[in-house]
Amino acid sequence: MGFRSEIGYTQIIFLLILGTVSVLGVGNMAKTIVVGGSEGWRFGFNYTVWAFNNGPYYLNDTLVFKYDPPNSTTHPHNVYLLRDFWSYRRCDMRRAKMIGNVTDGVGEGLKVVLKRWQPYYFACTERDGYHCNQGQMKFPIFPMPRCRNTTHG
């Protein structure tokens, strides 16, 4: 049995506040961010902690989910957008929307542009939610608007 870390409600609120406060003094360039960095989108990596450590995120940033196609040595993965915080917290997939199937993460990966100022809750639903619940394949993002650079000479 391995160590399993879970981030709580207070940490999620802190993440959202941190994103709000850090919006000042930021340039206008959108970023492309590979989810999980060099780890990619895989079972057993804590994506909630990764998201917290790699924020803030801004409108029009692009998240890239990279994962292997299903084969004899790897389990399949997908990407779903969960409806709300409580669905995220419980890994409740009943009203989730698929945004990436088991082959969409191959090659250049699945690209998701953060177009709306709203919370996004991402998760893998494979094995009836086991990847979300036990594999920590879930994370929240709350993209913030960018401030315009106004420099006076």
Side-chain angles (χ1 to χ4, degrees):
M1 174 153 79
F3 174 75
R4 182 167 181 250
S5 174
E6 184 172 329
I7 198 160
Y9 180 75
T10 304
Q11 287 85 4
I12 297 298
I13 298 301
F14 177 75
L15 178 64
L16 295 175
I17 292 170
L18 177 65
T20 303
V21 170
S22 64
V23 81
L24 299 175
V26 174
N28 292 324
M29 298 301 295
K31 296 185 300 182
T32 298
I33 303 141
V34 176
V35 174
S38 62
E39 295 292 326
W41 186 236
R42 67 168 183 82
F43 185 86
F45 183 81
N46 192 323
Y47 291 94
T48 302
V49 170
W50 172 85
F52 181 81
N53 289 335
N54 287 278
Y57 305 92
Y58 296 95
L59 292 174
N60 297 316
D61 282 352
T62 300
L63 300 180
V64 181
F65 291 83
K66 291 187 173 190
Y67 47 96
D68 294 328
N71 60 48
S72 62
T73 60
T74 63
H75 292 289
H77 299 300
N78 58 33
V79 183
Y80 273 72
L81 191 57
L82 303 172
R83 186 174 179 100
D84 55 36
F85 175 75
W86 299 111
S87 297
Y88 161 81
R89 183 86 171 131
R90 293 186 215 117
C91 290
D92 179 355
M93 307 301 172
R94 289 178 288 185
R95 295 185 295 173
K97 176 183 176 188
M98 178 189 275
I99 57 174
N101 68 32
V102 296
T103 60
D104 286 338
V106 178
E108 295 295 313
L110 169 69
K111 295 179 180 170
V112 178
V113 179
L114 304 172
K115 293 182 179 181
R116 304 186 83 184
W117 188 44
Q118 69 179 39
Y120 290 81
Y121 303 100
F122 297 101
C124 177
T125 68
E126 286 298 317
R127 302 187 78 193
D128 294 323
Y130 183 76
H131 285 198
C132 180
N133 280 308
Q134 301 302 314
Q136 303 179 47
M137 292 185 75
K138 65 178 184 176
F139 67 97
I141 295 282
F142 190 79
M144 303 305 302
R146 294 180 191 276
C147 289
R148 294 182 193 192
N149 279 342
T150 54
T151 48
H152 300 287

